[in-house]
Amino acid sequence: MITNYLPNIVKNVRLKATYLLPLLLVPQILSSCNDYLDTVPSKGENEVLGSGKQIDALFNSSDIFNSKVAYAIASSDDIDVKPEMYEQLGYLPDSYLNGFVFGIADAANVQYGDEVWESEYKKVFIANLIINEIGNVEDITEQQRIDYLAQAYFTRALAFWNLAQTYCLPYAEETKGELGLPLKKSTSYEENVARATLEETYEQILSDLNEALKTSQGDVGSRWRVSKPAVAAMLARYYLFTQQYDKAVDYAKQALASQSATLQDYNELELMEDYASNPITSEGMPVFYSEYYGYAPNQLADFQENYYSQYFAASSGHYMIPSATLLGLYDHDNDLRFEQFFGSHTLWSVWVGGFGDDILYRKFYHYIWEDQIQSGPTVPEMLLTAAEALARQNQIDEAMNLLNQLRYARMRAGGDGIKLEAASQQEAIQLILDERHREMPFVMRWFDIRRLAYNETTADDVTVEHVFYKVIDNVPDGETFIRYTLPVKSHRYAIPITNMEITRSGNQIVQNTYLDGDVRTEVVDNYDWIDVYEGADMGNEDWGDEN
């Protein structure tokens, strides 16, 4: 609710306090912000921030570090919720359900708001508050001012990025004139919120990232704050998604030059053997935003592979039930990601059973809040980004060297098939995309499906299919089975904006355009569930623990 929800924070002291108080996580910061929360800025009054501690409090908010992604989790070919599973679950949130069946009208008609839209524009509001009001802060040095601004621009860039990957079509020459985002740059509820073009949206993201490069943090320190490697990594992601492969390589290599963010060999992690210890965070490193925020503990904030600790977070009920396609990508005997992140019989934890080995995806389960996936840039992502961009420029040898560097850190030492070789450019690209799929499933997979449809080749296009009940008014009918197909370049790559949000904007915001055939539906007669795990080798008995 851009025009109503966010401005109320500054228009009404009680609402403002209600909104901000949960964000101020460090107790000593809380007491310093009383004056800030007790002062009601009137319409047009700009003096909102008064101290650096207040800015730190905003940046230490866990809301800054989590991005809601129900639509993205449910939309990709990595997810598979069988009708029989739904019968036992009894309920799926509207956003998850509409992601899974590629809903258009139902997604627009959701009556409870859109947590993705609201959470990302909340970040935009915080960033804009700091960008616009930091001139009023007198107790900080000029260098602190530069660094706070860099963090704010980085925060806004990531928020706009996540919003663009959700509500807009992928960026390409043929789509850049399509609808982009409302590019909020102030905290005023009177600011126009008409949607910019997609090209203007991406230009704004790039501009914000370039502003973030002005930070004085030359290497990764606190991984929940901006640094030059973190910005370089996001620029590499940006240029990969906009098919500017030479720049993607350059920025990925700049990020990989970091001495603080490094690749972690999974052979050295013993997560399953000892949940009580914390082998993957720096001893004694304070993580203020998580230590004081009870409902979302995050032990991986200082994980050495992270350039920036931001996470895709799914709410309760957004189960990451892997498809047969995803499971089939892994070497079940030697891939340590399969061993650590896929939990046999874990569907029993949500009262669902009887489906083969009942597998859920739970990355670093017990170390981060359940159903969170890293969304900030990481060393593995940069290795894969550079490798793919090099392969698309036919620099195969260097691309495969980077790919294999990652594989040596992910595959069981001494196992078979660790090193991969490619005899052609297309084979190299496919091997890299498969590894990217294994390393970053679900959310990033959905984002990749979108951008692969618009790149320079059709060889890597993906058509997504799901089989589920017929859904009417966000309710499965429990009788009719439908095969839902999302064709390549479907306009449904862009999630509908809720009608509620459009109405609240005074109809300044307009809906995405959808075409006949954007989602194909076919009735499945004589539906008979097939065991997707039938014949699969699930490894040894020890793998069956909840990991």
Side-chain angles (χ1 to χ4, degrees):
M1 296 172 281
I2 299 176
T3 54
N4 290 335
Y5 178 76
L6 294 177
N8 283 341
I9 299 167
V10 294
K11 285 192 296 181
N12 181 283
V13 65
R14 293 188 182 276
L15 180 56
K16 184 176 69 171
T18 300
Y19 170 72
L20 286 177
L21 277 171
L23 308 183
L24 307 180
L25 310 178
V26 188
Q28 59 265 37
I29 293 177
L30 278 170
S31 60
S32 70
C33 293
N34 289 338
D35 293 340
Y36 175 44
L37 296 174
D38 291 339
T39 302
V40 186
S42 62
K43 180 177 176 181
E45 183 178 337
N46 292 323
E47 293 189 10
V48 177
L49 292 177
S51 74
K53 285 185 177 181
Q54 293 166 357
I55 299 175
D56 283 325
L58 292 173
F59 284 145
N60 285 339
S61 157
S62 69
D63 279 359
I64 291 290
F65 303 97
N66 290 314
S67 298
K68 304 296 185 181
V69 285
Y71 285 118
I73 287 175
S75 295
S76 84
D77 55 354
D78 285 345
I79 204 83
D80 192 11
V81 182
K82 298 294 184 185
E84 291 88 342
M85 294 177 179
Y86 172 77
E87 291 297 331
Q88 293 191 45
L89 290 168
Y91 168 75
L92 289 174
D94 288 348
S95 55
Y96 189 97
L97 184 63
N98 279 299
F100 193 64
V101 302
F102 316 123
I104 295 177
D106 281 0
N109 287 328
V110 168
Q111 298 299 308
Y112 306 105
D114 184 336
E115 63 180 5
V116 179
W117 183 273
E118 293 177 4
S119 67
E120 294 307 308
Y121 273 109
K122 185 185 294 185
K123 298 175 193 174
V124 172
F125 176 86
I126 292 171
N128 288 341
L129 180 68
I130 293 165
I131 291 169
N132 292 324
E133 309 301 340
I134 198 168
N136 299 318
V137 180
E138 299 179 352
D139 67 342
I140 58 176
T141 66
E142 183 57 28
Q143 190 58 64
Q144 286 177 310
R145 192 181 312 276
I146 291 171
D147 288 343
Y148 282 141
L149 282 171
Q151 180 70 50
Y153 281 114
F154 191 65
T155 297
R156 189 169 72 181
L158 263 62
F160 281 151
W161 177 264
N162 290 334
L163 287 162
Q165 304 314 307
T166 304
Y167 302 100
C168 305
L169 291 175
Y171 182 88
E173 189 65 28
E174 64 190 273
T175 62
K176 64 183 185 182
E178 298 285 349
L179 288 168
L181 298 172
L183 297 175
K184 288 284 291 182
K185 296 181 184 178
S186 77
T187 58
S188 171
Y189 57 91
E190 295 179 339
E191 182 180 4
N192 186 285
V193 292
R195 297 176 71 174
T197 66
L198 190 60
E199 182 175 28
E200 290 167 339
T201 298
Y202 273 70
E203 287 174 348
Q204 184 62 55
I205 293 169
L206 181 59
S207 174
D208 284 352
L209 289 174
N210 284 329
E211 287 294 321
L213 274 175
K214 295 177 181 178
T215 179
S216 67
Q217 302 304 310
D219 206 342
V220 179
S222 298
R223 297 175 198 272
W224 47 97
R225 299 297 281 266
V226 72
S227 64
K228 287 188 184 297
V231 183
M234 277 305 302
L235 283 165
R237 185 188 291 184
Y238 176 96
Y239 285 120
L240 180 69
F241 275 62
T242 55
Q243 300 89 46
Q244 300 178 69
Y245 300 124
D246 54 342
K247 293 182 179 179
V249 172
D250 288 345
Y251 280 107
K253 288 184 175 180
Q254 287 183 38
L256 289 168
S258 168
Q259 299 300 302
S260 299
T262 56
L263 189 62
Q264 171 69 61
D265 186 346
Y266 279 12
N267 286 279
E268 298 175 358
L269 299 183
E270 298 181 350
L271 300 179
M272 291 178 64
E273 285 76 6
D274 188 3
Y275 288 131
S277 67
N278 190 1
I280 49 180
T281 60
S282 298
E283 184 176 355
M285 173 64 72
V287 186
F288 294 123
Y289 76 85
S290 65
E291 286 183 348
Y292 292 92
Y293 212 58
Y295 87 85
N298 182 349
Q299 299 289 340
L300 284 175
D302 198 43
F303 189 37
Q304 70 184 54
E305 292 186 347
N306 295 352
Y307 293 108
Y308 184 75
S309 292
Q310 186 179 77
Y311 289 83
F312 292 129
S315 300
S316 176
H318 300 150
Y319 308 112
M320 286 182 279
I321 304 171
S323 66
T325 301
L326 178 59
L327 289 172
L329 280 172
Y330 295 90
D331 178 338
H332 292 191
D333 294 322
N334 295 305
D335 196 320
L336 298 174
R337 291 165 295 197
F338 182 78
E339 177 179 296
Q340 296 289 354
F341 302 159
F342 292 86
S344 180
H345 304 294
T346 42
L347 269 178
W348 283 105
S349 67
V350 293
W351 307 104
V352 174
F355 298 94
D357 288 271
D358 302 328
I359 298 170
L360 281 177
Y361 180 85
R362 291 181 166 183
K363 186 171 184 178
F364 292 130
Y365 187 52
H366 294 304
Y367 281 91
I368 62 174
W369 189 29
E370 184 176 341
D371 293 339
Q372 286 196 359
I373 308 173
Q374 174 70 20
S375 65
T378 65
V379 173
E381 182 188 349
M382 290 303 100
L383 288 169
L384 292 163
T385 294
E388 181 184 339
L390 285 165
R392 292 190 185 279
Q393 297 175 87
N394 208 25
Q395 299 179 50
I396 299 174
D397 290 344
E398 186 177 359
M400 296 304 293
N401 285 338
L402 291 170
L403 173 63
N404 286 317
Q405 184 179 337
L406 174 61
R407 285 183 62 79
Y408 279 112
R410 293 297 187 258
M411 307 296 287
R412 192 181 309 281
D416 296 329
I418 297 178
K419 184 177 180 180
L420 299 178
E421 296 180 350
S424 67
Q425 180 186 26
Q426 187 54 50
E427 184 180 5
I429 292 173
Q430 190 58 57
L431 288 171
I432 293 163
L433 290 177
D434 286 346
E435 198 67 35
R436 184 178 174 90
H437 195 168
R438 284 186 282 265
E439 182 69 23
M440 299 183 292
F442 296 100
V443 181
M444 194 63 77
R445 173 61 175 173
W446 170 243
F447 294 164
D448 280 343
I449 288 171
R450 290 165 30 95
R451 58 117 178 161
L452 292 173
Y454 284 91
N455 64 9
E456 69 284 352
T457 179
T458 60
D460 50 21
D461 290 352
V462 178
T463 298
V464 184
E465 289 188 355
H466 294 149
V467 175
F468 196 66
Y469 289 126
K470 184 177 182 179
V471 177
I472 303 174
D473 295 332
N474 291 306
V475 179
D477 72 356
E479 297 180 357
T480 309
F481 302 101
I482 301 291
R483 176 175 287 105
Y484 298 90
T485 301
L486 191 70
V488 174
K489 291 190 176 181
S490 168
H491 281 220
R492 181 51 181 73
Y493 283 163
I495 304 298
I497 298 170
T498 64
N499 292 327
M500 178 188 302
E501 193 64 46
I502 292 171
T503 300
R504 284 170 171 160
S505 75
N507 293 315
Q508 290 183 59
I509 297 173
V510 297
Q511 186 59 273
N512 295 318
T513 300
Y514 298 100
L515 308 174
D516 290 341
D518 277 337
V519 180
R520 298 199 297 265
T521 58
E522 174 189 4
V523 175
V524 179
D525 293 322
N526 301 317
Y527 172 78
D528 183 22
W529 176 63
I530 299 173
D531 187 348
V532 296
Y533 309 117
E534 184 177 358
D537 180 6
M538 292 302 152
N540 59 43
E541 295 290 333
D542 293 338
W543 177 76
D545 294 336
E546 279 196 21
N547 41 348

